[in-house]
Amino acid sequence: SYLEIGLSHNPLAPYRMIDIENKTSIDMDKTTEPDYLMSSDVFFNRLKKGKTEFAADHKWDAIFIDGDHMAPQVYKDLCNSFDHLTDKGIIFMHDVLPWSYYMTIESPVGPTPATCQDAWKVLEYCLKYREDMNVCTIEENGGGLGVITKNLGSVRPMLPKEHNQFFQYKEYEKNKTVNMNTIKQDYIFDWIKDPTYNYDDEI
């Protein structure tokens, strides 16, 4: 089963490409024709109250987060999604590994569109504080992809709490592939099976 938060018009977007019966989309733009025309906050609130077609404790196997790109809302979407993720499920988060400062600002100013804004801060926060999550990132042309699974008991390295304490882009940019636990796309299935493996040499 699959849930997508933030539905794109792009015919090659995940929701439109994934060929399964049990898939659900949420978006506030009616022109994208989502299954649920509302904000993700409203959807999860209704879900928890049993006011959707799903049971209040319904869980998905895969969830793609690509809605609002400001860190507070991205983190809310992540927490709500994590609560409704199966034990062996996977959360994908788009636009969390920007390669330019201009991609991180709120307004589309500069040579590169502000496609990521500050969603990257959520992944760095989780790598420092969320021991219940396994987290890695993958470089890709759209702005980077975060991958999150449930940590069901393994011990994984955490970023030091003092790392980039005030979430500055210049600090993020320093050695970011190591600090954001970036792995090659070729290793993602291996990582999902064993997130504790040290992929530093594979970047």
Side-chain angles (χ1 to χ4, degrees):
S1 57
Y2 175 76
L3 172 67
E4 183 160 317
I5 300 173
L7 186 57
S8 171
H9 290 92
N10 189 340
L12 299 180
Y15 181 84
R16 307 189 190 284
M17 293 290 289
I18 293 174
D19 185 19
I20 58 172
E21 182 178 351
N22 298 320
K23 61 180 182 179
T24 306
S25 59
I26 309 165
D27 198 87
M28 296 177 66
D29 181 358
K30 65 180 180 181
T31 65
T32 64
E33 300 181 344
D35 297 311
Y36 286 87
L37 180 62
M38 60 187 65
S39 71
S40 54
D41 286 350
V42 170
F43 174 80
F44 282 112
N45 185 51
R46 291 186 180 181
L47 175 63
K48 291 172 184 177
K49 293 181 178 179
K51 295 184 177 181
T52 69
E53 64 182 291
F54 305 103
D57 60 351
H58 183 83
K59 297 182 186 297
W60 283 270
D61 299 307
I63 300 174
F64 182 54
I65 300 175
D66 192 22
D68 189 301
H69 287 59
M70 299 306 293
Q73 184 60 47
V74 175
Y75 189 62
K76 286 175 68 177
D77 285 341
L78 173 59
C79 291
N80 282 325
S81 296
F82 198 71
D83 287 344
H84 292 277
L85 184 70
T86 57
D87 283 349
K88 293 186 177 181
I90 306 172
I91 294 174
F92 299 96
M93 298 177 64
H94 202 216
D95 301 308
V96 293
L97 201 65
W99 60 84
S100 157
Y101 168 75
Y102 292 103
M103 296 177 74
T104 70
I105 57 180
E106 294 186 35
S107 302
V109 177
T112 309
T115 53
C116 296
Q117 297 180 310
D118 62 1
W120 63 270
K121 296 179 181 180
V122 173
L123 267 291
E124 188 187 55
Y125 177 88
C126 292
L127 283 162
K128 287 192 287 188
Y129 296 103
R130 293 297 300 263
E131 295 185 12
D132 57 337
M133 296 179 176
N134 298 312
V135 181
C136 76
T137 57
I138 300 172
E139 291 185 312
E140 55 86 42
N141 293 335
L145 189 70
V147 184
I148 296 174
T149 62
K150 289 189 174 182
N151 185 349
L152 301 176
S154 59
V155 177
R156 68 169 178 83
M158 304 287 289
L159 277 181
K161 301 291 191 296
E162 64 274 13
H163 171 76
N164 197 9
Q165 186 176 4
F166 298 106
F167 299 99
Q168 299 177 61
Y169 180 81
K170 287 185 178 180
E171 291 300 316
Y172 150 85
E173 200 172 27
K174 296 176 184 176
N175 207 17
K176 72 174 182 180
T177 57
V178 173
N179 292 331
M180 296 295 280
N181 197 26
T182 304
I183 65 173
K184 289 183 178 179
Q185 292 186 25
D186 293 347
Y187 293 97
I188 187 59
F189 292 110
D190 294 325
W191 179 88
I192 289 170
K193 293 176 183 176
D194 181 14
T196 63
Y197 180 78
N198 186 350
Y199 289 88
D200 288 352
D201 294 335
E202 315 294 352
I203 297 173

